[in-house]
Amino acid sequence: MIRIENFINGLHLPPRVNSYLPCYEPATGALYAEVPDSGPEDVDLAVLAAEQALLIWSGMSQAQRHDILMNLSYLIKENLNKLAQAESRDTGKPIKLAKQVDIPRAVDNFKFFASSIMHFASESHHMPGVQAINYTLRQPLGIVACISPWNLPLYLLSWKIAPALAAGNVVIAKPSEVTPMTAYLLSKLCKEAGLPPGVLNIIHGAGPRAGQALVEHPKIKAISFTGGTATGRRIAKIAAPQLKKISLELGGKNPNIIFADCDYDKALSTAVKAAYSNQGQICLCGSRIFIERSFYDRFKADFVEKVSRLRIGDPSKASTQVGALTSASHRDKVLAYIELAIQEGGHVICGGEVPSLPSQMSNGYYVAPTAIENLSFDCRTNQEEIFGPVVTLTPFDTEEELLLYANSVSYGLSATIWTADVSRAHRLAEKVDAGIIWVNCWLLRDLRTPFGGMKDSGVGREGGLEAMRFFTEPKNVCIQYGA
Ligand code: NDP
């Protein structure tokens, strides 16, 4: 049994109340670790440590902060296998995905923002008529909270803490209590990287207790949150009266739009990937697939055939393509949505059940990759975020009809459009409600681009300059140099 500890002021500490929450291995359902059930008293301790560290960290040169964050990046890379194994065990995701996507991306996040701070320039505005010049200082905010979810634990945690630290802030992070392991391992690398104590503090525990205490704390200046829309609203409600800065990356129900003139093989194989990568637990997954009617039947048949060849099972096996969902409660929620889809008149064309797997995995949280057709675009299955290996297939005839379907949801995170017609691609990219549009690709990421959603998918953007601006306070200085 692994006992996870908080990381406060450079030390690994038990929670003040000394109580722990269970941590299960999704592949088998076995209890394998315990995680601190932290509360306000632990947050207070972390705030104290962060306050003391702020002067030291914000007073360092950009080059010094760059070096330390690069050290962290190298250390994550050196420990890639160990971290990937921990991530796979903790989340149920295939080890191959953890090795190829999750951990390399954490390496890149630190590398990217370490170099960003070396290139980050602030604005200057000249007023020649009155012989004055304005320059904008971009100063650290102070103590910031970074709250991340369970689907891409180290990937999303580092996506927040790297820019926050690069900009000179001190951080209190709260990973999901469901998947705390890689955040714990990261905390063990901080000392070796040369991060001064108190600069990064990691509080483990349940959202409504530890997370909420962090959000409520008056000394927290900004909250960067990724998670569900309902939680995002709750955080916004608490943060607003205290006038805290917030960045909210929330849910999605993303359309994957496929026209008959597409590169068929690429669109087909990417549609399968966009549907079921990480068991469909990526906020960017294409869960509503809209297919031009003229080739709907052919596409459907090939899609189902490809899905039937996916290897489901033990996430620790190199050949596994679909692992377990992250928790039993989430598995139950996904299965309930499949039931709902059937009640709504849906026809399950593949999956729809718990797959039969070897006995050691019989208590794991598996759901077979599922596709459903024959549903109206505005039914609950097509409107609500399922966040699992469940997609719907819907034919369309015209662009107008397609836009009605695609934009009918309350979310607006990402969309993918498959077409060889450049004019159509531009036309639709302008009209589809989403913060991120991919044309003839999916999940192709350039870390410099604005990342985030519109409508119920969030407030603000992460990535590149957007992140550096979020984590800094602009202060304009106007100097008149003439008479
Ligand atoms: P939750 O909103 O339940 O949780 C996210 C984080 O917030 C967790 O660390 C959670 O802690 C914490 N939390 C929960 N309640 C509170 C609270 N009252 N105050 C402060 N913190 C709280 O989301 P999930 O973990 O279920 O993640 C899945 C969701 O995240 C999906 O909706 C998905 O679309 C979205 N997501 C969005 C992304 C984007 O970039 N837009 C990317 C990835 C996911 P704990 O888990 O310990 O309770």
Side-chain angles (χ1 to χ4, degrees), residues 59 80 180 193 248 406 456 470:
L80 191 142
L248 304 175
D456 286 356
F470 175 76

Side-chain angles (χ1 to χ4, degrees), residues 316-363:
S316 67
K317 271 196 179 162
S319 58
T320 296
Q321 292 168 295
V322 179
L325 300 196
T326 300
S327 66
S329 60
H330 188 55
R331 184 254 338 258
D332 295 345
K333 175 187 150 188
V334 170
L335 290 172
Y337 266 109
I338 296 173
E339 265 314 300
L340 172 72
I342 294 166
Q343 284 164 23
E344 289 184 318
H347 174 216
V348 176
I349 52 177
C350 62
E353 77 281 308
V354 171
S356 71
L357 293 168
S359 60
Q360 69 271 25
M361 280 170 285
S362 57
N363 291 325

Side-chain angles (χ1 to χ4, degrees), residues 148 150-151 174 176-177 205 207 211-212 225 227-228 231 250-251 283 385:
S148 49
W150 44 258
N151 60 333
K174 200 213 75 75
S176 171
E177 122 240 356
Q212 188 142 333
F225 169 80
T231 316
L250 310 177
C283 52
E385 186 185 41

